Amino acid sequence: MSESLKPVTAIKAPVHLEFSYTAGRASTRFLRGMAQGKILGQRCPECGKVYVPPRGSCTICAVPTDVEVEVTGKGTVTTFCIVRIPSDSLSIDPPFTCAHILLDGADLPFFALIQECPFDEVRMGMRVEAVWVPKEELGPTFESIKYFRPIDEPDASFESYKEHL
Ligand SMILES: [Zn+2]
């Protein structure tokens, strides 16, 4: 096939955006927790839902969520996708798996990479745990958690997480 007939599958676009992010009170507490190797959420005083990361309010009850709770780094894969497209902005080669993980004690899934598991073995209900960066590398960022990996626990039942998909 001549070069002029080949489909264009990708382009490099030199786009660069620089901005400052103001975390706000709820996110600041969450990010400071990450710097200490803790996952902090907030519980709604009315419905009891635990938001991780916290948003500062409950979107259902429209009230502030000012009760702080710490959740463990263990959770359940609720949904996932296998990424097969390479990206210059990622330091990982495809295929790899990204998943929504419902941390134990939380009511909002957390988006993260799954590693230490073949991509085609990741499944809904799989139990996983957070793998943190070394203590000296912890910081106020989501990147304090490198990824999640499977743990030797039976899969969670669909009933236990179906309300969190
Ligand atoms: Zn609520």
Side-chain angles (χ1 to χ4, degrees):
M1 181 181 290
S2 76
E3 193 65 33
S4 64
L5 295 178
K6 287 184 180 175
V8 176
T9 56
I11 62 167
K12 287 203 177 218
V15 176
H16 180 78
L17 291 176
E18 209 166 289
F19 57 92
S20 296
Y21 169 71
T22 303
R25 279 186 289 179
S27 292
T28 294
R29 292 170 74 95
F30 172 78
L31 293 169
R32 286 190 176 146
M34 295 295 277
Q36 298 172 341
K38 296 179 179 177
I39 304 174
L40 300 177
Q42 290 182 340
R43 176 178 287 118
C44 173
E46 292 198 13
C47 70
K49 283 189 182 295
V50 173
Y51 289 85
V52 180
R55 296 172 170 169
S57 63
C58 177
T59 55
I60 297 166
C61 304
V63 296
T65 52
D66 48 8
V67 179
E68 191 169 276
V69 294
E70 181 177 351
V71 298
T72 72
K74 288 185 177 180
T76 300
V77 172
T78 58
T79 59
F80 65 94
C81 67
I82 298 168
V83 179
R84 296 177 184 272
I85 301 170
S87 169
D88 289 342
S89 63
L90 294 173
S91 60
I92 183 170
D93 292 326
F96 59 88
T97 308
C98 293
H100 269 141
I101 297 160
L102 184 65
L103 295 171
D104 296 352
D107 289 288
L108 199 67
F110 196 90
F111 191 69
L113 281 172
I114 304 289
Q115 295 282 277
E116 298 188 35
C117 176
F119 70 91
D120 56 353
E121 291 182 16
V122 176
R123 59 202 176 273
M124 294 171 75
M126 188 170 81
R127 297 284 295 153
V128 293
E129 68 180 357
V131 177
W132 296 81
V133 298
K135 199 167 191 156
E136 61 276 10
E137 293 176 24
L138 287 171
T141 169
F142 280 93
E143 292 173 357
S144 289
I145 294 177
K146 289 166 51 179
Y147 53 80
F148 282 74
R149 67 182 172 203
I151 52 177
D152 189 21
E153 289 184 10
D155 286 2
S157 69
F158 182 69
E159 290 295 314
S160 68
Y161 61 86
K162 71 178 185 183
E163 301 299 325
H164 303 282
L165 297 176

